[in-house]
Amino acid sequence: MASPAERLPQIPGRFMGAVRALLFWALVYGYCALCACLALLKLLWSIGRRPGQTFQWSIREAPPACLSDPSLGTHCYVRIKDSGLRFHYVAAGERGKPLMLLLHGFPEFWYSWRHQLREFKSEYRVVALDLRGYGETDAPSHQEDYKLDCLITDIKDILDSLGYNKCMLIGHDWGGMIAWLVAICYPETVTKLIVVNFPHPSVFTEYILQHPSQLIKSGYYFFFQMPWFPEFMFTINDFKVLKDLFTSRSTGIGRKGCRLTAEDIEAYLYIFSQPGALTGPINHYRNIFSCLPLHHHEVTMPTLLLWGERDAFMEVEMAEITRIYVKNHFRLTILSEASHWLQQDQPDIVNKLIWTFLKEETIRKRE
């Protein structure tokens, strides 16, 4: 005789998968709506306090001098054959030296690596890239052109175009996400991986669904799913949101950090005040949920993870969990007084930690 459990109708696996997908997208769009409401309240509050200033913003016509500082390197361009896109990058160090490729986060561009361009050019060909849609790099008009697989392929194609088949890859924030995925998908192209303030993608996707505190900190991922409104919110009060990200007490560079100068801030304002300059960067985020959840993937090259403990956007607990996905030498260093903008916040310490990691790997190979 059949047991009660056996007599119950069996729910097909496909149906359960559909239910999980429905719940996932309900979470995405529900939280997106909540974030939009909060942004709208902020907008109304700004209008109430400064009605004359809220909608005032200006395009910066001329770049500040720091963007053409010769000590940072040479401005170069490369056109990718398959995609047809032209990428802008700044390169320092002699051609033929080992390649160090730097991938910035949001809302940044190649200039966020200025301290590293100066530091590592003595032994490396250091290339700080403007990612697809950023700065002087081409920005495709379709949202689908910013899917993660396109961004990963960009890095592989750029390596080929630069005449290299491997590099030491460094990524921060969103550039860290791309760096992890390049290391996973094209391990033969990455000799060493260094990531700044971004966990392994599988850690991030699992942690955010299990910890409401991180879900709240990542609210901008959901807000960015909306068309045009996020770009508009960045422009109000002459890009106050952009300025506050780097300078406010809650999200900006820490009190003991290397603060951005007025000219540094103008460099960011020059880049992101150009017409349409925010749409490409935000489109990176508009595709992320179509690629989630990611499968678990192992990283097989030596890896250094640097983390600013005062990161307002990423919880430090994710850093230690990342260890389980690296099947090689893994070093984690957490800086207690540093912010999310670690390589700009504590450049001397970051550079020293990178040098130490590179040298210890060289010694290990000799032994």
Side-chain angles (χ1 to χ4, degrees), residues 144 152 329:
E144 294 75 18
I152 298 165
H329 174 63

Side-chain angles (χ1 to χ4, degrees), residues 32-256:
C32 175
L34 175 61
C35 292
C37 290
L38 293 175
L40 184 59
L41 288 175
K42 291 180 180 179
L43 175 60
L44 294 174
W45 175 256
S46 178
I47 293 173
R49 292 185 62 196
R50 305 183 188 89
Q53 300 177 24
T54 298
F55 301 108
Q56 289 184 356
W57 61 275
S58 60
I59 298 172
R60 274 59 179 180
E61 300 293 342
C66 60
L67 293 183
S68 55
D69 183 347
S71 72
L72 296 177
T74 304
H75 290 259
C76 307
Y77 301 86
V78 61
R79 189 170 297 277
I80 304 303
K81 185 181 298 183
D82 291 340
S83 67
L85 297 180
R86 189 184 76 157
F87 283 78
H88 169 254
Y89 64 92
V90 172
E94 297 177 8
R95 296 178 185 272
K97 289 183 176 180
L99 179 63
M100 177 183 286
L101 185 59
L102 309 174
L103 310 180
H104 62 79
F106 174 88
E108 297 174 291
F109 63 113
W110 70 266
Y111 187 69
S112 68
W113 297 108
R114 58 197 176 280
H115 303 292
Q116 288 68 45
L117 282 162
R118 293 190 182 101
E119 178 71 20
F120 295 101
K121 64 183 179 182
S122 60
E123 294 189 22
Y124 290 89
R125 175 68 170 174
V126 188
V127 170
L129 187 67
D130 274 343
L131 295 175
R132 177 183 293 221
Y134 281 84
E136 295 184 58
T137 291
D138 286 348
S141 57
H142 297 294
Q143 180 177 318
E144 294 75 18
D145 291 326
Y146 295 86
K147 288 184 177 179
L148 279 171
D149 57 351
C150 296
L151 307 178
I152 298 165
T153 304
D154 282 345
I155 306 307
K156 174 68 165 57
D157 291 342
I158 286 166
L159 274 178
D160 294 339
S161 299
L162 294 176
Y164 287 85
N165 56 23
K166 59 182 62 179
C167 69
M168 195 190 75
L169 189 59
I170 305 181
H172 169 247
D173 183 69
W174 185 257
M177 163 77 92
I178 297 173
W180 282 115
L181 294 175
V182 170
I184 291 166
C185 297
Y186 299 107
E188 71 281 2
T189 67
V190 182
T191 55
K192 301 177 183 68
L193 176 66
I194 298 175
V195 179
V196 183
N197 279 76
F198 201 94
H200 187 286
S202 293
V203 173
F204 180 66
T205 54
E206 293 169 2
Y207 191 91
I208 195 174
L209 294 175
Q210 297 171 8
H211 296 81
S213 55
Q214 181 58 53
L215 190 66
I216 292 171
K217 290 181 178 181
S218 300
Y220 61 97
Y221 278 68
F222 298 86
F223 176 55
F224 285 170
Q225 303 311 303
M226 298 186 64
W228 71 263
F229 190 47
E231 289 94 321
F232 170 73
M233 287 299 295
F234 267 89
T235 66
I236 64 173
N237 292 312
D238 197 29
F239 298 94
K240 184 176 186 300
V241 172
L242 181 64
K243 299 171 191 174
D244 286 350
L245 281 172
F246 293 108
T247 61
S248 72
R249 291 179 61 86
S250 59
T251 65
I253 289 177
R255 287 172 292 180
K256 296 185 179 180

